[in-house]
């Protein structure tokens, strides 16, 4: 049986504990979905923290296939994100992170949305920001949604966005956050080949935005679903210590420069959308 949904997770050294919480949040709700509909794909960039042993311990209790690849060399986030999707066999791929979690009932909620609309190019949805230990939300879900700069203007309602300009304007900001998106695997694969033929992905922190941009070349619709099914772990940035040696100024210069470039491409070089 071909899975309906593959949850694709890139990880790296130092994430064994947070990844275990991610996997436990998935394992705890698998009984709510039909057997064989969910799989988990993990691409590990050179971890030496017991990640493989942890996965081996919990794998027998998973009511889903868990695919795990350990690479002795960390090729970087972009490479392992792309590899995690390449490992997948599901019709749709949920691009997930190794330090966040899926809210109880979230898998079945997203699975049912996809079941009702299987041809959708991509699906995005909001998150709730939790504390570093995932013990509770920093603010209430409603307050976060009201104040968030990540979410589209009409975040409370199911929306279908048509055309590059509309998708970029409404969803461009949340595209920078990895775990809030599900994509149709065949569309991702086709778009990735286009990116690779152009010598990319060029973005180290946001390779998925490059692929999303090429996916939008098809002219197909992208959908927004308003339920907050992702628990986003706050205060757990790994980019600054791993890549920028703790230098916040270098971090923000790199991130914002990348986003400027990516949003220009995502919007089709529409200056008004980039400013928005």
């Amino acid at each position: 049986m071909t899975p309906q949904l593959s949850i694709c997770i890139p990880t790296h050294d130092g994430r064994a504990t947070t990844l275990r919480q991610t996997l436990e949040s998935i394992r705890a709700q698998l009984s709510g979905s039909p057997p064989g509909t969910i799989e988990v794909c993990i691409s590990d960039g050179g971890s030496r923290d017991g990640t493989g042993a942890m996965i081996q311990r919990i794998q027998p209790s998973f009511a889903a296939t868990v695919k795990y690849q350990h690479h002795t060399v960390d090729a970087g986030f972009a490479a392992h994100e792309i590899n995690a999707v390449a490992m997948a066999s599901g019709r749709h791929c949920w691009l997930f992170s190794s330090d966040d979690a899926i809210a109880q009932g979230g898998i079945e909620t997203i699975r049912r949305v996809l079941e009702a609309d299987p041809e959708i190019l991509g699906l995005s949805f909001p998150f709730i920001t939790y504390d570093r230990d995932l013990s509770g939300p920093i603010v209430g879900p409603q307050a976060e949604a009201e104040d968030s700069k990540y979410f589209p203007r009409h975040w409370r309602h199911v929306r279908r966005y048509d055309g590059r300009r509309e998708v970029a304007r409404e969803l461009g900001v949340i595209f920078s956050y990895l775990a809030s998106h599900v994509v149709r695997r065949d569309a991702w694969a086709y778009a990735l080949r286009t990116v690779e033929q152009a010598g990319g992905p060029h973005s180290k922190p946001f390779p998925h935005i490059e692929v999303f941009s090429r996916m939008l070349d098809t002219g197909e619709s992208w959908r927004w679903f308003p339920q907050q099914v992702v628990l986003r772990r706050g205060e757990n940035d790994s980019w600054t210590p791993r890549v920028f040696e703790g230098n916040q100024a270098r971090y923000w210069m790199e991130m914002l420069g990348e986003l400027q470039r990516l949003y220009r491409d995502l919007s089709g070089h529409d200056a008004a959308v980039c400013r928005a």
Side-chain angles (χ1 to χ4, degrees), residues 90-112:
R91 179 174 177 78
H92 295 90
C93 294
W94 190 338
L95 309 179
F96 214 76
S97 50
S98 60
D99 65 335
D100 297 325
I102 301 177
Q104 187 61 37
I107 291 176
E108 185 62 9
T109 294
I110 296 304
R111 195 191 67 78
R112 288 186 179 277

Side-chain angles (χ1 to χ4, degrees), residues 137-247:
I138 293 176
V139 297
Q142 183 75 11
E144 171 152 50
E146 292 287 358
D147 296 338
S148 180
K149 304 296 189 296
Y150 278 95
F151 305 159
R153 291 172 293 175
H154 308 290
W155 67 268
R156 289 190 187 88
H157 307 289
V158 173
R159 292 275 176 164
R160 184 182 294 269
Y161 297 114
D162 297 301
R164 175 180 296 280
R165 189 177 188 278
E166 187 177 33
V167 173
R169 184 179 184 89
E170 296 297 330
L171 299 176
V173 179
I174 199 168
F175 277 177
S176 67
Y177 173 65
L178 179 65
S180 280
H181 315 288
V182 171
V183 295
R184 208 176 69 225
R185 185 168 61 89
D186 66 332
W188 167 280
Y190 181 81
L192 177 61
R193 286 196 295 271
T194 302
V195 171
E196 291 174 338
Q197 286 166 4
H202 301 285
S203 178
K204 294 179 181 179
F206 309 111
H208 53 283
I209 300 183
E210 286 189 80
V211 181
F212 290 178
S213 186
R214 298 285 70 81
M215 289 173 70
L216 292 171
D217 288 341
T218 65
E220 296 176 75
S221 299
W222 201 286
R223 187 170 172 183
W224 170 259
F225 188 73
Q227 188 164 329
Q228 291 164 289
V229 297
V230 178
L231 309 183
R232 174 177 177 248
R233 188 189 300 267
E235 303 173 343
N236 197 47
D237 168 55
S238 67
W239 276 92
T240 308
R242 289 176 68 225
V243 184
F244 300 99
E245 299 176 344
N247 189 321

